[in-house]
Structure formats: structure tokens, C-alpha cells
């Protein structure tokens, strides 16, 4: 190897991590708690993602769902492709490759002293949970914490026990909705935007953090514009195909931005000239 | 450093001496009526008069398929560095410009050791164009000649003699194999200057009607121009324009398991942003499903996005390969950029 390269690490080489807990959150979403085999926790911040791999099957970007205030790394993996299908078969004690953390973080410093409104659609709750837990672990640093959660149907709801605990807390507001009515559900029915009028008075002055399926952003952003939330106060966490995670492969590019480096968390006002973003 | 002068015979001897070192020499040779870079076996096969190769010499710095890691299935991985010392002989200035851009892209930010290690071990002998290709427009892009970035630059003069400008220590080391050649005279250097002046004007089968440095500004104003839809209507999304482009560097990463089902390797391979599923994520959501959006993305990458990452240099070097490769005849960047220029008010 040449001299100038020998001092550089291999940016594509994963570290090994061991599954210490696993449980299904619903029919398709698997929750994993991992410990790095190095014994060193990954130094990540809320909003970032890792490249998860199973040698022989492949690699994919997965949001971090845990908060750096806790030990280990928590991920939620939807059974949707060949890699995630294989990950779903893994048991406690099995190993995964991890690269990262990559990407931008939620504005954990800028948000201090401010009210936070999290708008989560489906598995959009997964990365948002990282910042929600972080804010709860630094409760005095932040103002009100409001969480709006929308799920397609009753059976797909995520983190049910944890949400129930959040709902019991006096220092946060959690509103949940499902798109389709269900016999066991007596809460709000409708898409996540139907929850926005219930907290409309809280929106001016809050930082609003959005994560959900592509279609959700369009409608949530319209509602927020109607509520006159300035675009500088809105953050979105975007999904793309971050194949390399290091700003080289080109797959996650939206106009001139690389979601793996310039995102996945973007301030909405920074996306004014990025029509491919939303 | 120095400019030396070879007679054709002396140059053949120099090539033979390079071949004898055992280091692979990759050079342009005839292939089914066209030209291609490949391992050189004899100086007789070398075609210094080639117009353009089917694929750019990019394939030696970023191979079509490159192993990154080896692994035990579902187990740990280890890095693989495949780079070997190599001589890349006969690289035209536009292709050299493309390689230099790629060097910066793989070096900046997160250092890509796989690319950089391979690159560091390559000695580049550039070559001024002797025969312009059918679709070259390097003169328009300012890439018809180069003044740096090579280890040695060859210029074939009208009388058949060959000047070698030795620019680096790597070049110096190689030129030692040349035996007794004479330094170029003032008249030779003047003849070389004439070649450069000629090429700076003549490699221009398609003429860009503005300075390349204006392209980012022109593109900025034309995101919704009808040309994207008009051209893309005929696009097959075949990705040929990506595959032959010396500046395209997008790649996919995949795993392959060996026949023992116990071991395997992770590799990267060329990908193309014109291919339909380039931006598709798991669950089959395609973030760039419109052909026009993919077509536009390619020309924005060349004219705006990549230049913004590498200090302004336009990421189209005017080789014209995409024009020749495109079945639908829509890939010509000059046609598109000129059309946009015509509809743009530049303040």
C-alpha cells in the first residue's frame, strides 16, 4: 500500500456489534438493542443513522432510535427487503456489522429552552424517538415537549408501552392517531395532520421536527404554513438510499445535497432551493 | 522538469523497456474498428493516433467491479486493497482532467482509501490528441490540453518524433528506462506549442456558445425548462451515457458469497443515475422516478453540483463519448447547454 493511504482507516469496513435484546414491535418492525464488540459505545447524536450489514446479504442505512444518554444502540428494522428479512431471523447473541454514525443531527443545542413539537408518521417515530428520549433525559434543558404520532392502522403502532408511559407523564403531551378506525381504538382517527389543530396554539415559537413517509411531509408542511410556523423553525428527517454513507456513491443525492452528509436532518428553510427534497 | 525527444524507434524501445519491468502497461489499442484501453503486449499494438477509446481510462482508477472487503458469511469483514503498480499510457488531456477531478472527489471529506491507494500506484503518461474523434468538444470545455496532473506528457510532432515532458518524480523514475534520448530543442518546443494551439481550437465538433464557467449560473435558472422533458421523452434509461462518461463515479455496493457458502466479498460496481431504480429505496419508493428528472440530474451534476464540490471546474470534459453511445441521440450536453443559454438572461 502507498504511504499516504496507510494512515487512513477503511471507511467501508464495519465494526461488529452483538444483539443483546430483540422483540417485534408489530408484524413487520423488529426492535434491536446492540452492544458494540469493541466495548466502546458509538459516539452518535440524535438524528444520525448507521449502515447496518450482514456479510453475504448486504448493507443498508438504518436510523438510530436510541438516545446517546443510554447504553448501547437501538435500531428498528422493517422487514422489507433481502437484508432486513435476514436481520429479522437473527437472535440474541447474533452479530451485525455497523458503520457510522453518519449524517447531521437534530438541533439539540439550538433547541435548548425552546418548546419542541415532534410530528411522526409510521416508522418516522423511530429516529424521532432518539431526540424525544434525549430531551426527556435532559428535561430541564427544553420547554414543552409535544409528540404527535400517526400510524396507518392499529396493529402497526410502534413502542406502545413506551408511548403509554409518555402519556402518563405530566411534563409532555402525546397525541396519537390511526388512519383507519379499529374496534380496539377509541382515540383519534385520521391522518397525522388531523392532530395539528389540537396543538395549534403551541406551534408559534416551537421547533417542529417532522419524520414520516414522503407523502406526509407535503401535507404536514401545508398545515404548518397555515399555522404560520416559520420555515426556520421546522426540521425534517429525510429518507433516501444512502448506499455508502460517506458522500461518494451518489444514490442519496437530492439536487446538490447528499442526504448522508448534509442530512438526513435538514432545516426546512435550507431546502428552499432543493426541489427534490420533499 | 525536462522535455525529451524520442524518435519513433527510440519510443518503441522505451515502451518495450516499460513492458519488461513486469508492471502492467495499459494503453490504447485497436478493437473492432474502434479503440480501447487494455493491457499492452507489444509496442506494435500501441496506437498513439487513436481518436477516443470506447470506455475512458477511468476503469483503472475506479474499476467496473472492485472488491472492498472479504468476509465470512454473517461474520466479520476485512479490508481488501486491490491496487497494484501500473502504467497508464496514452491518456488524452480530457480524460486526465476527469481523473484529476475524481482524485479530488475521493480524497475530500471521507478519504476513500480503496480509490486513493489504487490511484497512488498508477503512473500516468498523458498524450496530446493526434486524431480528433467524431464528437469531441474538449476545446469548448477547456480540456483539449493540460499543463499539469500527469507524470509524463507525450506530444507527437508532425515529423513523427515524440516529445516527453517529465513532470514528477514518478515520471522521472520511468524515463530512466528510455536510454539515451536528447533534450527537446527550442524548435521542438515551438512545434509542441503549435500542436497545443491547434488542439485548443480543433477538438471542437460541437461548440459550446459560452464559457464553461457560466454553466452553473445557466443551469440555476433553468430547472423547469422544457428541454428536460423534450429530450427525456426519447430516453431509454439505459445508462449508456453514464457508463462511458469519464467523470461519472456513482457506484453500487453488493455482497457476493463464494461457492463454499462460507466466505465472500463485498464489492462496488459502476452505477448510473439514468437507470430507473437508481434512487429507489426499500419498499419500492422511487425518489427520482421521472425520466426527465433523471436526465436533468445528470446534466446538473456535470454542470453545477460536482463543480460546486471541486472548486468550480465543470464535470464534463468534452470527450463526446455520451454523444456517440446514446441510442436515442439525446445525450449531447452541448446541445442542451446551448439551448438553455439561448433562453437565459445573464445579468
Amino acid at each position: 500500500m502507498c504511504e499516504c493511504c496507510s494512515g487512513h482507516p477503511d471507511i467501508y469496513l464495519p465494526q461488529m456489534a452483538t444483539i443483546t435484546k430483540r422483540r417485534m414491535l408489530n408484524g413487520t418492525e423488529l426492535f434491536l438493542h446492540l452492544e458494540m464488540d469493541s466495548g466502546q459505545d458509538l459516539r452518535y447524536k440524535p438524528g444520525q443513522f448507521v449502515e447496518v450489514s450482514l456479510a453475504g446479504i448486504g448493507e443498508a442505512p438504518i436510523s438510530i432510535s436510541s438516545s446517546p444518554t443510554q447504553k448501547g444502540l437501538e435500531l428498528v428494522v422493517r422487514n422489507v427487503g433481502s437484508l432486513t428479512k435476514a436481520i429479522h431471523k437473527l437472535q440474541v447473541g447474533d452479530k451485525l456489522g455497523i458503520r457510522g454514525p453518519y449524517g447531521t443531527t437534530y438541533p439539540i443545542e439550538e433547541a435548548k429552552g425552546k418548546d419542541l413539537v415532534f410530528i411522526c408518521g409510521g416508522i418516522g417515530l423511530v429516529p424521532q424517538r432518539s431526540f424525544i428520549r434525549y430531551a426527556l433525559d435532559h428535561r430541564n434543558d427544553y420547554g414543552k415537549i409535544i409528540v404527535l404520532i400517526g400510524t396507518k392502522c392499529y396493529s402497526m403502532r410502534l413502542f406502545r408501552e413506551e408511548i403509554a408511559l409518555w402519556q402518563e407523564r405530566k411534563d409532555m403531551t402525546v397525541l396519537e392517531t390511526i388512519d383507519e378506525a379499529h374496534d380496539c381504538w377509541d382515540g383519534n382517527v385520521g391522518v397525522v395532520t388531523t392532530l395539528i389543530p389540537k396543538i395549534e396554539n403551541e406551534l408559534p415559537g416551537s421547533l417542529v421536527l417532522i419524520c414520516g413517509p414522503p407523502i406526509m411531509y407535503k401535507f404536514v408542511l401545508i398545515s404548518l404554513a397555515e399555522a404560520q410556523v416559520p420555515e426556520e423553525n421546522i426540521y425534517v428527517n429525510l429518507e433516501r438510499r444512502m448506499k455508502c454513507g460517506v458522500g461518494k456513491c451518489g444514490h442519496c443525492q437530492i439536487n446538490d445535497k447528499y442526504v448522508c452528509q448534509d442530512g438526513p436532518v435538514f432545516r426546512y428553510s435550507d431546502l428552499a432551493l432543493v426541489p427534490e427534497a420533499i | 522538469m525536462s522535455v525529451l525527444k524520442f524518435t519513433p524507434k527510440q519510443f518503441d524501445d522505451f515502451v518495450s523497456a516499460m513492458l519488461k519491468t513486469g508492471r502492467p502497461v495499459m494503453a490504447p489499442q485497436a478493437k473492432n474498428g474502434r479503440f480501447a484501453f487494455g493491457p499492452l503486449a507489444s509496442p506494435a499494438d500501441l496506437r498513439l493516433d487513436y481518436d477516443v477509446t470506447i470506455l475512458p481510462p477511468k476503469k483503472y482508477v475506479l474499476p467496473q467491479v472492485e472488491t472492498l472487503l472479504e468476509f465470512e458469511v454473517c461474520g466479520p469483514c476485512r479490508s481488501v486493497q486491490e491496487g497494484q503498480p501500473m502504467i497508464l499510457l496514452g491518456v488524452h488531456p480530457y480524460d486526465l482532467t476527469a481523473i484529476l477531478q475524481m482524485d479530488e472527489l475521493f480524497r475530500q471529506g471521507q478519504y476513500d482509501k480503496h480509490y486513493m491507494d489504487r490511484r497512488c500506484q498508477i503512473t500516468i503518461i498523458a498524450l496530446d490528441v493526434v486524431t480528433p474523434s467524431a464528437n469531441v468538444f474538449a476545446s469548448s470545455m477547456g480540456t483539449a490540453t493540460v499543463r499539469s496532473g500527469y507524470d509524463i506528457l507525450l506530444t507527437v510532432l508532425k515529423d513523427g518524433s515524440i516529445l516527453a515532458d517529465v513532470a514528477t518524480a514518478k515520471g522521472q523514475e520511468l524515463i530512466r528506462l528510455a536510454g539515451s534520448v536528447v533534450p527537446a530543442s527550442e524548435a521542438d518546443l515551438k512545434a509542441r506549442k503549435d500542436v497545443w494551439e491547434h488542439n485548443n481550437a480543433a477538438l471542437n465538433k460541437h461548440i459550446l456558445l459560452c464559457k464553461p464557467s457560466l454553466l452553473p449560473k445557466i443551469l440555476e435558472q433553468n430547472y423547469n425548462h422544457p428541454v428536460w422533458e423534450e429530450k427525456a421523452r426519447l430516453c431509454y434509461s439505459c445508462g449508456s451515457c453514464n457508463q462511458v462518461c469519464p467523470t461519472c463515479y456513482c457506484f453500487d455496493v453488493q455482497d457476493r458469497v463464494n461457492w463454499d457458502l462460507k466466505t465472500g466479498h463485498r464489492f462496488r460496481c459502476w452505477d448510473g443515475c439514468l437507470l430507473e431504480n437508481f434512487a429507489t429505496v426499500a419498499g419500492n419508493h422511487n425518489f427520482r422516478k421521472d425520466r426527465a428528472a433523471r436526465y436533468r440530474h445528470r446534466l446538473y451534476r456535470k454542470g453545477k453540483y460536482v463543480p460546486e464540490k471541486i472548486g468550480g471546474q465543470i464535470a464534463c470534459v468534452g470527450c463526446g463519448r455520451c454523444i456517440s453511445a446514446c441510442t436515442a441521440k439525446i445525450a449531447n450536453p452541448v446541445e442542451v447547454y446551448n439551448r438553455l443559454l439561448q433562453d437565459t438572461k445573464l445579468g
Side-chain angles (χ1 to χ4, degrees):
Chain A
M1 186 184 302
C2 77
E3 234 169 68
C4 48
C5 292
S6 58
H8 289 275
D10 182 351
I11 53 177
Y12 301 108
L13 183 67
Q15 300 177 54
M16 297 310 282
T18 302
I19 298 171
T20 44
K21 288 176 205 157
R22 79 178 289 287
R23 67 190 158 89
M24 292 301 291
L25 296 178
N26 60 29
T28 52
E29 261 80 44
L30 171 69
F31 170 87
L32 294 173
H33 185 278
L34 300 154
E35 301 279 353
M36 301 306 295
D37 287 3
S38 64
Q40 302 276 315
D41 272 342
L42 279 192
R43 296 163 66 91
Y44 66 90
K45 287 186 174 159
Q48 291 191 292
F49 69 96
V50 284
E51 293 284 348
V52 177
S53 70
L54 206 47
I57 317 279
E59 191 175 49
I62 306 281
S63 303
I64 298 173
S65 192
S66 47
S67 158
T69 47
Q70 61 182 98
K71 194 151 172 49
L73 182 70
E74 289 174 357
L75 308 173
V76 175
V77 179
R78 174 174 282 183
N79 187 348
V80 72
S82 55
L83 173 67
T84 50
K85 187 177 172 188
I87 292 176
H88 269 241
K89 291 183 182 158
L90 298 181
Q91 299 301 322
V92 169
D94 286 342
K95 291 183 190 298
L96 281 170
I98 300 284
R99 283 195 299 128
Y102 295 123
T104 54
T105 75
Y106 283 113
I108 50 175
E109 292 303 320
E110 190 203 323
K112 281 184 179 165
K114 298 200 172 122
D115 296 339
L116 306 178
V117 176
F118 294 89
I119 302 179
C120 321
I123 48 173
L125 174 61
V126 171
Q128 299 262 66
R129 176 176 175 263
S130 179
F131 190 17
I132 296 169
R133 290 182 70 130
Y134 182 88
L136 292 175
D137 286 340
H138 294 92
R139 191 63 194 88
N140 295 333
D141 287 349
Y142 300 96
K144 290 178 186 167
I145 297 177
I146 298 168
V147 184
L148 310 185
I149 301 167
T151 314
K152 200 186 271 180
C153 60
Y154 179 78
S155 63
M156 288 180 78
R157 293 166 61 231
L158 301 168
F159 295 112
R160 294 170 204 199
E161 296 83 5
E162 193 165 347
I163 291 169
L165 291 174
W166 289 349
Q167 282 169 331
E168 282 171 19
R169 289 179 73 131
K170 299 278 181 282
D171 60 353
M172 71 187 293
T173 305
V174 180
L175 302 177
E176 222 189 324
T177 184
I178 56 176
D179 292 1
E180 300 157 11
H182 190 276
D183 289 347
C184 301
W185 181 256
D186 57 4
N188 193 85
V189 175
V191 293
V192 76
T193 44
T194 61
L195 295 175
I196 293 177
K198 299 179 198 290
I199 54 124
E200 208 162 12
N201 296 337
E202 308 289 351
L203 286 172
S206 294
L207 287 191
V208 183
L209 309 121
I210 314 169
C211 189
I215 186 74
M216 188 191 95
Y217 291 97
K218 289 190 175 71
F219 292 101
V220 169
L221 289 164
I222 291 170
S223 299
L224 295 181
E226 284 168 1
Q228 295 185 328
V229 179
E231 292 187 353
E232 295 76 39
N233 289 359
I234 302 172
Y235 287 83
V236 295
N237 188 335
L238 300 183
E239 174 197 13
R240 287 298 184 277
R241 187 181 171 197
M242 291 87 102
K243 195 92 200 181
C244 75
V246 290
K248 310 286 185 201
C249 81
H251 284 94
C252 71
Q253 203 177 357
I254 47 173
N255 301 107
D256 60 337
K257 309 268 188 241
Y258 283 74
V259 175
C260 70
Q261 304 247 291
D262 305 310
V265 180
F266 291 94
R267 190 198 282 262
Y268 183 50
S269 52
D270 292 340
L271 295 175
L273 296 174
V274 189
E276 287 188 325
I278 304 291
Chain B
M1 288 184 179
S2 58
V3 182
L4 301 170
K5 184 179 184 178
F6 290 84
T7 64
K9 167 76 174 67
Q10 283 171 324
F11 188 75
D12 280 0
D13 291 345
F14 174 47
V15 174
S16 298
M18 284 194 280
L19 291 170
K20 273 187 198 138
T21 63
R23 256 202 274 182
V25 178
M26 303 302 177
Q29 294 158 70
K31 185 176 183 179
N32 301 329
R34 296 170 72 185
F35 297 98
F37 275 92
L40 190 68
S42 144
D45 297 333
L46 175 65
R47 291 293 296 269
L48 293 180
D49 64 336
Y50 82 99
D51 55 358
V52 67
T53 52
I54 299 166
L55 289 180
K58 170 182 88 174
K59 62 184 180 180
Y60 298 112
V61 291
L62 185 70
Q64 287 95 327
V65 178
E66 177 179 32
T67 299
L68 303 173
L69 308 169
E70 284 177 347
F71 54 72
E72 290 166 37
V73 171
C74 296
C77 303
R78 88 179 171 78
S79 287
V80 175
Q81 296 293 149
E82 287 188 325
Q84 295 292 332
M86 180 191 286
I87 298 164
L88 201 44
L89 168 60
V91 178
H92 279 166
Y94 50 80
D95 278 336
L96 177 65
T97 306
I99 290 174
L100 298 176
Q101 290 185 2
M102 216 172 283
D103 292 350
E104 171 58 17
L105 289 159
F106 281 95
R107 187 201 56 77
Q108 67 175 218
Q110 301 251 7
Y111 189 92
D112 192 309
K113 196 173 173 170
H114 296 275
Y115 176 94
M116 294 306 291
D117 178 51
R118 190 182 290 279
R119 176 66 179 89
C120 288
Q121 299 192 60
I122 294 176
T123 305
I124 295 185
I125 305 180
L127 167 70
D128 277 314
V129 176
V130 174
T131 315
S133 70
N135 284 312
V136 69
F137 55 98
S139 303
S140 277
M141 304 312 292
T143 57
T145 57
V146 277
R147 292 291 171 277
S148 61
Y150 47 80
D151 296 298
I152 298 173
L153 170 67
L154 305 176
T155 311
V156 182
L157 301 183
K158 274 195 186 127
D159 63 4
S161 60
I162 296 155
L163 298 193
D165 186 340
V166 185
T168 64
K170 266 159 119 182
Q172 200 81 49
E173 183 213 318
L174 211 53
I175 211 79
R176 282 199 202 108
L177 299 169
S180 58
V181 283
V182 296
S185 67
E186 282 300 316
D188 294 329
L189 294 180
K190 168 74 177 59
R192 184 175 70 157
K193 201 161 165 253
D194 291 344
V195 170
W196 287 345
E197 274 170 17
H198 176 262
N199 281 359
N200 279 336
L203 304 186
N204 224 11
K205 303 293 173 66
H206 307 275
I207 299 168
L208 183 69
L209 299 171
C210 68
K211 282 188 203 157
S213 58
L214 279 177
L215 290 176
K217 203 170 175 191
I218 291 165
L219 286 167
E220 199 176 294
Q221 296 180 31
N222 286 291
Y223 194 73
N224 294 312
H225 195 281
V227 74
W228 309 123
E229 194 58 57
E230 284 166 27
K231 294 280 184 187
R233 209 166 42 80
L234 301 170
C235 178
Y236 294 115
S237 300
C238 69
S240 297
C241 52
N242 295 130
Q243 298 299 294
V244 299
C245 179
T247 69
C248 274
Y249 65 96
C250 289
F251 58 84
D252 192 17
V253 181
Q254 295 176 33
D255 286 6
R256 186 156 294 156
V257 176
N258 296 332
W259 287 108
D260 63 8
L261 300 183
K262 289 176 185 158
T263 57
H265 64 280
R266 180 164 294 168
F267 63 95
R268 69 171 154 208
C269 55
W270 290 0
D271 207 340
C273 61
L274 264 292
L275 297 172
E276 192 174 356
N277 284 322
F278 184 76
T280 301
V281 295
N284 270 332
H285 185 86
N286 188 347
F287 283 99
R288 206 178 287 116
K289 67 174 183 298
D290 293 337
R291 270 183 305 183
R294 294 197 297 276
Y295 181 88
R296 176 178 59 196
H297 185 69
R298 172 173 168 266
L299 285 153
Y300 264 71
R301 260 182 84 95
K302 304 299 171 205
K304 186 172 189 307
Y305 303 153
V306 175
E308 283 165 359
K309 283 170 82 80
I310 57 171
Q313 198 176 33
I314 300 303
C316 168
V317 293
C319 69
R321 288 185 179 95
C322 58
I323 305 172
S324 310
C326 180
T327 317
K329 304 285 171 226
I330 53 164
N332 189 339
V334 178
E335 253 177 44
V336 175
Y337 293 142
N338 281 345
R339 169 85 183 279
L340 298 180
L341 178 70
Q342 186 189 312
D343 294 344
T344 305
K345 282 189 192 120
L346 291 165

